[in-house]
């Protein structure tokens, strides 16, 4: 009986340990293809980050998000009415710290 409990606790500890980086917002883990896995913004942080990015650009639609981007705490990808995509960088307080026009998707 004690052996089953120990195995269950060890297995549970491994699951928790594996989940901690994702819960902490770390995106340093490699996916199956060897590229970093992006962690999407969720909950009220998504709402606040989206509002800040759209206000900064005077409109657009959020088409992608990332926590722990290499350039800032939050990255919001916004598609404008003319088809251009702009990455808006935000700090932890949802202040814009930069943006980059990525152009129209599919154009070189």
């Amino acid at each position: 009986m004690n052996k089953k409990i120990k195995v269950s606790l060890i297995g549970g500890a491994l699951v928790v340990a594996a989940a901690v980086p994702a819960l902490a917002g770390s995106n340093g883990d490699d996916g199956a293809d060897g590229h970093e896995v992006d962690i999407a913004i969720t909950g009220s942080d998504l709402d606040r980050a989206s509002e800040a990015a759209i206000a900064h650009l005077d409109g657009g639609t959020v088409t992608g998000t990332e926590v722990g981007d290499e350039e800032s705490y939050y990255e919001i990808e916004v598609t404008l009415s003319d088809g251009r995509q702009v990455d808006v960088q935000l700090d932890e307080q949802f202040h814009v710290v930069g943006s980059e026009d990525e152009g129209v998707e599919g154009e070189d």
Side-chain angles (χ1 to χ4, degrees):
M1 185 80 124
N2 285 340
K3 196 177 232 182
K4 286 183 181 180
I5 292 172
K6 288 179 183 177
V7 170
S8 295
L9 290 176
I10 291 170
L14 292 174
V15 170
V16 171
V20 169
L23 294 174
S26 169
N27 68 348
D29 293 336
D30 287 340
D33 62 358
H35 292 92
E36 285 188 1
V37 176
D38 293 341
I39 307 296
I41 305 170
T42 60
S44 63
D45 287 353
L46 174 60
D47 295 336
R48 292 182 67 191
S50 297
E51 288 173 15
I54 289 171
H56 174 71
L57 298 172
D58 293 323
T61 303
V62 172
T63 52
T65 68
E66 183 180 346
V67 175
D69 179 66
E70 66 274 358
E71 298 170 15
S72 62
Y73 193 79
Y74 296 112
E75 179 180 276
I76 307 294
E77 180 185 272
V78 178
T79 300
L80 303 176
S81 60
D82 63 4
R84 288 183 299 132
Q85 292 183 336
V86 179
D87 290 341
V88 179
Q89 308 298 328
L90 305 171
D91 65 15
E92 290 182 67
Q93 288 76 40
F94 305 97
H95 298 128
V96 175
V97 295
S99 62
E100 182 177 356
D101 189 330
E102 299 289 325
V104 177
E105 187 173 340
E107 287 187 356
D108 291 330

